[in-house]
């Protein structure tokens, strides 16, 4: 037990220790300050501005910035959609895979453009190297960078006084990719290749099995097809950019995508590294590190709480697994607990940590099957997504989502004391509240409407492998994953149908761009306001009281929105388990 606890503590300590200097580095990059890579990258940065005819001194208003976000994402959507449809005629397709159906192309394109990376297909049997590399990997970089760019618009809105300009979208995108995403992903890619992850353009290889397999009909299988491809270069940005799409069907549980304990540690830390770092970037760039630490503590507390519940549930397992004492699920000389759906090479501690990290980060990559988790353990992974991807969340979008909850929290506090609410020296008025509510409620609206409609469609019910509460949990998890910009799945049913591909795709687009535009609108309003002097009546937003209030508001919105749905799924399954 002591070793298990040490594993959890070690993962969290490594994460925070690496995130603090990275947060400082990102803050310098986005302010245009010199960093250790400046000598190499400034000429590249300026060359890109000349090539794209970008005036890096231009500072856009929020509406122009929003238009650039939508146009850039729309162009990427069209290009990736065509890659899927036409991949049979495109190069780098040694297996001769045909183009996908229009509805799968729509779903996958929506998924990667929105940084969700939900996959209703198995990568090695559906997509060519060209589509994976030129389509999905590119979106892994630019969709992540878009979220970070929008976050910095909001940060600038708090620091600027009575202005209109909020930065330049093209400059922000260039700096994020050039100075942050590419260097980090290069290091991760080299580390993964070192550990044995494929990075090539070879055709799939046929190998002889060490132990032949005899099927029930007497057929003896002596060979296996081993997929190849440029995997490492896609896995790196999928983790660092909180994307989560797997190069192979079973994602980071695949031995070629995650072959060793070190590759597992590298991937697991990288999937939360930038979201955690951005909390410290926020404090640095608004010139009040206490505010950044307060947001970090609120997020970190909820992450530790979620991790603790998952770990206890999975280690305790269920009465059914014990089979009335016939099966030893203790931790004596073995992993013990609920090992169903988990890799024996990773065990419960690493699997539970990854599950907590990936659903907190809206990453979606998995090294175990969440469908096999205990009812309450699986519920926590679902709830983290349903809260609006604000427990660190996706790169950029997680923090600006949490800042919307902070605005909501100061508004509630202002009502209690009868003062006009303020946050970071800016008055929070009705317009900001409307936009903040839009940010906070977009996720529940998208998830609940999508899953509610799906539960009424006979085609969806017929595609479920499980009936009753667990079947509903699989369905609810799918839409929670889409609405939480996550991309992981309970699995257990065929998601590659016209209805599910289209509706899940629409939910992903809605929950990505509605909060994003609302955040930019908040920034456009705040940047024009003057700073309010701190007085005796100003609510401190960096102390334990406010941190507690912020956590309460986040959990309250999630509990009120999703408790009825969770009661029909994992909670009902839990009580059925006890009967």
């Amino acid at each position: 037990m002591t070793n298990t606890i040490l594993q959890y503590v070690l993962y969290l300590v490594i994460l925070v220790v690496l995130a603090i200097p990275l947060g400082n580095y990102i803050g310098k990059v986005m302010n245009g300050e010199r960093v250790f890579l400046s000598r190499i990258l400034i000429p590249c940065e300026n060359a890109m501005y000349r090539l794209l005819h970008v005036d890096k001194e231009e500072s856009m208003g929020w509406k122009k910035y929003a238009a650039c976000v939508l146009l850039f994402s729309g162009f990427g959507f069209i290009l990736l959609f065509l890659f899927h449809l036409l991949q049979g005629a495109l190069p780098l397709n040694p297996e001769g895979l045909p183009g996908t159906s229009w509805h799968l192309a729509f779903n996958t394109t929506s998924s990667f453009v929105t940084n969700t990376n939900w996959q209703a297909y198995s990568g090695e049997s559906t997509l060519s190297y060209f589509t994976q590399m030129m389509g999905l990997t590119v979106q892994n970089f630019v969709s992540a960078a878009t979220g970070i760019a929008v976050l910095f618009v909001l940060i600038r809105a708090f620091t600027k006084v009575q202005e209109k300009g909020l930065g330049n979208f093209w400059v922000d995108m260039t700096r994020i990719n050039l100075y942050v995403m590419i260097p980090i992903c290069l290091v991760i890619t080299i580390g993964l290749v070192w550990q044995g992850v494929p990075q090539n353009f070879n055709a799939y290889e046929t190998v002889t099995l060490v132990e032949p397999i005899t099927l029930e009909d007497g057929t003896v299988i002596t060979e296996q097809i081993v997929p190849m491809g440029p995997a490492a270069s896609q896995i790196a940005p999928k983790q660092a950019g909180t994307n989560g799409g797997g190069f192979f069907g079973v994602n980071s549980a695949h031995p070629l995508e995650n072959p060793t304990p070190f590759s597992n540690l590298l991937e697991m830390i990288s999937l939360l590294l930038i979201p955690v770092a951005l909390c410290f970037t926020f404090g640095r760039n608004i010139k009040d590190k206490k505010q950044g630490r307060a947001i970090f503590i609120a997020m970190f507390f909820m992450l530790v709480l979620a991790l603790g519940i998952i770990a206890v549930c999975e280690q305790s397992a269920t009465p059914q697994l014990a089979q009335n004492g016939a099966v030893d699920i203790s931790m004596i000389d073995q992993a013990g607990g609920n090992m169903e759906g988990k890799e024996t090479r990773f065990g419960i501690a690493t699997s539970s940590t990854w599950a907590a990290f990936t659903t907190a980060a809206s990453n979606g990559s998995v090294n175990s099957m969440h469908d096999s988790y205990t009812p309450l353990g699986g519920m926590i992974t679902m709830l983290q997504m349903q809260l609006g991807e604000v427990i660190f969340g996706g790169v950029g979008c997680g923090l600006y989502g949490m800042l919307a909850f902070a605005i909501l929290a100061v508004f509630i506090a202002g009502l209690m004391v009868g003062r006009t609410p303020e946050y970071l020296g800016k008055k929070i008025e009705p317009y900001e509240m409307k936009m903040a509510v839009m940010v906070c409620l977009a996720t529940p609206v998208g998830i609940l409407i999508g899953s509610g409609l799906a539960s009424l469609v006979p085609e969806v019910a017929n595609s479920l492998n499980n009936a009753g509460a667990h079947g509903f949990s699989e369905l609810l998890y799918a839409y929670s994953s889409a609405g939480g910009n996550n991309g992981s799945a309970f699995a257990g049913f065929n998601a590659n149908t016209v209805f599910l591909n289209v509706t899940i795709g629409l939910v992903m687009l809605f929950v990505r761009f509605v909060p994003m535009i609302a955040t930019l609108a908040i920034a456009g309003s705040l940047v024009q306001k003057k700073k309010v002097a701190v007085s005796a009546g100003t609510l401190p937003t960096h102390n334990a009281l406010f941190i507690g209030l912020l956590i309460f508001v986040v959990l309250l919105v999630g509990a009120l929105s999703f408790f009825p749905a969770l009661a029909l799924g994992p909670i009902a399954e839990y009580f059925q388990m006890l009967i």
Side-chain angles (χ1 to χ4, degrees):
M1 178 61 74
T2 302
N3 289 337
T4 302
I5 294 173
L6 286 175
Q7 282 189 66
Y8 293 123
V9 173
L10 181 64
Y11 295 145
L12 293 169
V13 169
I14 292 174
L15 176 64
V16 176
V17 167
L18 293 176
I20 293 173
L22 179 60
N24 186 59
Y25 170 82
I26 295 173
K28 288 182 177 180
V29 166
M30 298 307 292
N31 283 349
E33 301 172 34
R34 291 191 68 84
V35 293
F36 71 98
L37 291 175
S38 294
R39 182 175 297 180
I40 301 171
L41 295 181
I42 284 178
C44 300
E45 180 185 357
N46 291 332
M48 293 185 70
Y49 297 149
R50 289 194 297 270
L51 179 66
L52 299 174
H53 300 284
V54 171
D55 177 9
K56 67 177 183 179
E57 302 301 326
E58 179 188 7
S59 189
M60 301 175 178
W62 82 265
K63 292 181 180 179
K64 185 173 182 179
Y65 204 102
C68 290
V69 168
L70 294 176
L71 288 172
F72 181 77
S73 300
F75 177 78
F77 185 99
I78 294 170
L79 199 62
L80 183 54
F81 184 74
L82 293 175
F83 284 173
H84 280 85
L85 294 180
L86 304 175
Q87 78 169 2
L90 295 173
L92 295 177
N93 188 5
E95 300 306 307
L97 297 171
T100 66
S101 64
W102 69 267
H103 52 88
L104 180 59
F106 170 77
N107 180 276
T108 308
T109 301
S110 301
S111 177
F112 279 79
V113 168
T114 59
N115 197 239
T116 307
N117 296 31
W118 163 271
Q119 294 171 296
Y121 61 90
S122 182
E124 64 266 44
S125 61
T126 307
L127 298 184
S128 67
Y129 296 164
F130 183 89
T131 306
Q132 295 256 39
M133 181 176 66
M134 299 301 294
L136 305 189
T137 303
V138 169
Q139 285 301 321
N140 282 348
F141 280 94
V142 298
S143 65
T146 302
I148 298 174
V150 172
L151 168 65
F152 273 91
V153 169
L154 186 57
I155 290 174
R156 293 176 190 130
F158 284 116
T159 58
K160 293 187 176 185
V161 179
Q162 294 181 308
E163 297 185 30
K164 291 186 177 180
L166 289 161
N168 188 309
F169 174 73
W170 309 110
V171 173
D172 290 342
M173 289 290 288
T174 300
R175 287 177 176 169
I176 293 164
N177 279 306
L178 199 59
Y179 289 87
V180 181
M181 287 297 296
I182 291 177
I184 290 175
C185 292
L186 183 61
V187 171
I188 297 171
T189 300
I190 292 172
L192 293 176
V193 172
W194 170 43
Q195 293 298 296
V197 177
Q199 182 66 25
N200 56 54
F201 296 115
N202 299 342
Y204 291 4
E205 296 183 4
T206 301
V207 299
T208 302
L209 294 176
V210 176
E211 296 183 6
I213 299 173
T214 303
L215 304 180
E216 292 181 359
D217 61 1
T219 304
V220 179
I221 306 296
T222 60
E223 294 181 332
Q224 177 183 0
I225 297 176
V226 178
M228 295 284 108
S233 59
Q234 181 175 325
I235 295 167
K238 91 164 185 179
Q239 304 293 34
T242 63
N243 296 281
F247 191 89
F248 304 112
V250 293
N251 213 283
S252 293
H254 197 288
L256 293 181
E257 191 160 326
N258 187 12
T260 68
F262 180 77
S263 71
N264 189 77
L265 175 64
L266 182 63
E267 292 184 38
M268 185 165 57
I269 295 300
S270 63
L271 64 86
L272 259 181
L273 183 59
I274 295 178
V276 175
L278 287 173
C279 293
F280 300 104
T281 302
F282 172 69
R284 177 192 185 277
N285 280 29
I286 63 169
K287 296 180 174 57
D288 189 347
K289 292 184 179 181
K290 291 180 180 179
Q291 301 292 342
R293 284 197 294 267
I295 297 293
F296 164 77
I297 292 169
M299 291 179 168
F300 191 76
F301 175 83
M302 288 188 283
L303 174 65
V304 172
L305 181 63
L307 174 58
I309 295 173
I310 295 172
V312 169
C313 290
E314 296 310 302
Q315 198 62 67
S316 301
T318 66
Q320 287 75 15
L321 282 172
Q323 295 184 21
N324 295 321
V327 176
D328 181 10
I329 61 171
S330 70
M331 294 179 62
I332 302 174
D333 299 325
Q334 61 171 3
N338 177 26
M339 278 297 293
E340 180 185 340
K342 299 177 179 66
E343 288 283 299
T344 55
R345 58 204 173 100
F346 299 142
I348 290 176
T350 297
S351 300
S352 298
T353 305
W354 190 301
F357 280 18
T358 196
T359 50
S362 79
N363 178 277
S365 66
V366 294
N367 71 346
S368 60
M369 297 300 106
H370 295 180
D371 193 34
S372 296
Y373 276 48
T374 59
L376 295 185
M379 184 189 74
I380 295 301
T381 64
M382 202 183 306
L383 182 61
Q384 288 200 107
M385 298 182 292
Q386 293 167 345
L387 292 177
E389 59 161 336
V390 296
I391 305 178
F392 293 114
V395 287
C397 52
L399 184 50
Y400 69 63
M402 182 57 101
L403 292 175
F405 274 104
I407 289 173
L408 189 59
V410 297
F411 179 78
I412 293 172
L415 291 178
M416 292 178 179
V417 298
R419 281 181 55 90
T420 301
E422 304 164 11
Y423 188 55
L424 304 182
K426 298 291 182 83
K427 283 190 176 182
I428 304 302
E429 297 176 304
Y431 181 80
E432 289 81 30
M433 274 306 303
K434 292 174 185 176
M435 294 299 105
V437 167
M438 193 177 295
V439 174
C440 298
L441 294 184
T443 297
V445 168
I447 293 172
L448 293 174
I449 290 179
S451 55
L453 291 174
S455 65
L456 299 175
V457 177
E459 172 194 5
V460 176
N462 294 335
S463 71
L464 294 172
N465 289 338
N466 295 280
H470 192 77
F472 179 73
S473 293
E474 292 171 349
L475 178 63
L476 179 62
Y477 192 104
Y479 283 90
S480 299
S481 182
N485 286 150
N486 190 266
S488 63
F490 250 27
F493 73 107
N494 175 27
N496 189 13
T497 65
V498 176
F499 177 84
L500 288 170
N501 277 332
V502 171
T503 55
I504 289 176
L506 291 174
V507 168
M508 288 186 285
L509 292 170
F510 174 80
V511 177
R512 169 72 166 182
F513 291 108
V514 168
M516 188 172 280
I517 301 306
T519 299
L520 291 171
I522 292 172
S525 176
L526 291 177
V527 74
Q528 299 179 58
K529 296 185 177 185
K530 62 182 181 180
K531 282 275 189 179
V532 178
V534 177
S535 67
T538 301
L539 173 71
T541 53
H542 59 268
N543 59 14
L545 179 62
F546 181 76
I547 293 171
L549 177 62
L550 179 57
I551 293 171
F552 173 75
V553 170
V554 171
L555 296 179
L556 183 66
V557 171
L560 290 178
S561 300
F562 290 103
F563 180 77
L566 292 172
L568 294 173
I571 295 176
E573 186 182 1
Y574 172 75
F575 284 109
Q576 287 174 345
M577 179 188 75
L578 298 179
I579 296 175

